[in-house]
């Protein structure tokens, strides 16, 4: 298909009915299908796609807004994909420019692979941090003394939302309230009646992804990961902020190995809001 034809194909809003087409696009680029994750992103965020006249999608991406409804103060971009047969024809650039234009003055963030980073830098995104993806079968060790965790209940939701907004720096109620249906396990850590951390493990193909991982300190983060791993047969996978060197070293001691690294990038804001010292892992890099 000539480049000119691609340039005039309309960009449309995707809906949850497009999950299969999005999964097909992922598979086309050698990514896992991740239909479970696509379902969450298209329900909680806004997808953009270009239909291929020959069937399927030419390209797609998802934007997840955070903050007051209708007045977001941060938007995360993820799953920027272009079909292999249409690669290197400006489709990704066109999708990204559309997203930037739609965002207006709202700050943007994304996790960039080495492949995508040059495009984002060209559009004005700046590197502000990084994340390391680790994966493997978790090897249990000694429990973290003084930190107890338990399964989250409905009564914990208000406290989880309060802590999450404080640490993340923006309200993401519409995403966190979907966790009970999306994740297989959610654990919370309390001390003196106060919530000091929470984490979830959700199924993604043959792994359980740990995220979000929010904790008062590294010791609490270790306790939450250990509790989520108990009784699970799937390998664990998580994306840890590279500044949390102690947790990364501990995870590697427990059997996980580095799979890849991504650059955290922002547009329109010098750094991400919130408290990175308590933000260990995102729910998914696709949603910030």
């Amino acid at each position: 298909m000539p480049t000119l034809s691609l340039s005039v194909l309309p960009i449309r809003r995707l809906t949850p009915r497009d999950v299969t087409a999005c999964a097909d696009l992922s598979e086309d680029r050698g990514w896992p299908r991740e239909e479970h994750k696509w379902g969450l992103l298209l329900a909680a965020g806004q997808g953009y796609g270009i239909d291929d006249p020959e069937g399927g999608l030419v390209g797609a991406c998802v934007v997840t807004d955070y903050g007051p409804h209708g007045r977001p103060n941060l938007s995360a971009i993820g799953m920027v994909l272009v079909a292999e047969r249409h690669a290197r024809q400006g489709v990704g650039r066109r999708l990204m420019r559309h997203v930037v234009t739609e965002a207006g003055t709202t700050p943007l963030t994304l996790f960039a692979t080495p492949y995508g980073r040059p495009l984002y830098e060209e559009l004005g995104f700046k590197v502000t941090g990084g994340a390391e993806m680790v994966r493997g079968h978790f090897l249990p060790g000694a429990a973290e003394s003084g930190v107890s965790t338990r399964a989250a209940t409905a009564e914990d939701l208000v406290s989880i939302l309060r802590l999450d907004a404080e640490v993340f720096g923006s309200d993401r109620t519409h995403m966190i309230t979907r966790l009970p249906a999306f994740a297989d396990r959610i654990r919370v850590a309390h001390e003196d009646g106060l919530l000091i951390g929470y984490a979830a493990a959700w199924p993604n193909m043959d792994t359980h992804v740990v995220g979000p991982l929010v904790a008062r300190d590294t010791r609490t983060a270790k306790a939450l990961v250990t509790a989520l791993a108990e009784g699970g047969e799937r390998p664990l996978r998580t994306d840890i902020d590279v500044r949390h060197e102690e947790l990364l070293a501990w995870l590697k001691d427990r059997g996980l190995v580095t799979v890849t690294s991504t650059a955290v990038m922002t547009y329109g804001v010098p750094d991400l809001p919130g408290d990175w010292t308590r933000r260990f892992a995102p729910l998914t890099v696709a949603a910030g």
Side-chain angles (χ1 to χ4, degrees):
M1 182 181 294
T3 302
L4 179 62
S5 298
L6 289 179
S7 68
V8 299
L9 291 175
I11 297 174
R12 70 171 175 89
R13 296 287 185 101
L14 300 176
T15 75
R17 293 190 297 275
D18 294 298
V19 165
T20 299
C22 290
D24 289 344
L25 182 61
S26 293
E27 194 170 51
D28 175 76
R29 292 315 303 257
W31 290 21
R33 290 184 62 82
E34 300 183 306
E35 293 187 41
H36 185 58
K37 183 172 77 174
W38 273 111
L40 173 71
L41 295 172
L42 293 177
Q46 179 57 66
Y48 296 92
I50 300 173
D51 289 314
D52 189 332
E54 298 181 9
L57 291 168
V58 170
C61 67
V62 178
V63 179
T64 308
D65 292 337
Y66 299 113
H69 180 68
R71 295 180 292 107
N73 48 35
L74 181 68
S75 294
I77 305 169
M79 307 304 282
V80 182
L81 287 166
V82 178
E84 177 64 33
R85 61 193 179 279
H86 299 305
R88 296 171 294 280
Q89 297 183 48
V91 177
R93 182 177 292 101
R94 183 178 169 215
L95 279 169
M96 284 297 301
R97 283 179 172 161
H98 180 82
V99 167
V100 170
T101 300
E102 287 282 296
T105 59
T106 302
L108 302 171
T109 184
L110 54 79
F111 286 74
T113 64
Y115 178 81
R117 179 172 164 178
L119 168 61
Y120 307 136
E121 289 179 328
E122 176 188 322
L123 295 172
F125 284 78
K126 306 295 184 183
V127 175
T128 58
E132 187 171 333
M133 180 193 291
V134 291
R135 182 187 187 278
H137 286 282
F138 183 84
L139 304 174
E144 292 300 314
S145 61
V147 179
S148 60
T149 74
R150 60 169 173 78
T153 68
E155 287 70 30
D156 294 310
L157 183 57
V158 171
S159 296
I160 288 174
L161 289 172
R162 185 181 302 117
L163 176 64
D164 188 81
E166 181 182 324
V167 173
F168 189 73
S170 187
D171 179 17
R172 52 177 180 172
T173 297
H174 66 302
M175 183 67 80
I176 301 305
T177 52
R178 287 178 164 86
L179 273 182
F182 180 71
D184 283 345
R185 295 189 290 277
I186 305 174
R187 302 288 297 192
V188 293
H190 281 87
E191 182 177 271
D192 298 328
L194 295 176
L195 184 74
I196 61 171
Y198 85 97
W202 50 273
N204 190 46
M205 307 301 290
D206 63 339
T207 66
H208 266 120
V209 177
V210 175
L213 175 55
V214 171
R216 180 184 61 184
D217 48 34
T218 303
R219 188 177 63 163
T220 305
K222 291 178 181 179
L224 287 165
V225 172
T226 300
L228 287 173
E230 287 178 355
E233 297 182 356
R234 298 184 183 190
L236 289 188
R237 200 191 89 193
T238 188
D239 297 88
I240 303 297
D241 187 312
V242 294
R243 291 170 289 190
H244 290 294
E245 297 177 358
E246 181 184 348
L247 183 64
L248 276 169
W250 176 81
L251 287 168
K252 293 172 185 178
D253 287 341
R254 292 292 186 272
L256 279 66
V257 297
T258 299
V259 177
T260 188
S261 296
T262 51
V264 178
M265 306 186 77
T266 59
Y267 179 95
V269 64
D271 203 351
L272 291 175
D275 180 4
W276 75 264
T277 66
R278 292 182 288 166
R279 186 176 59 234
F280 288 83
L283 193 162
T284 165
V285 295

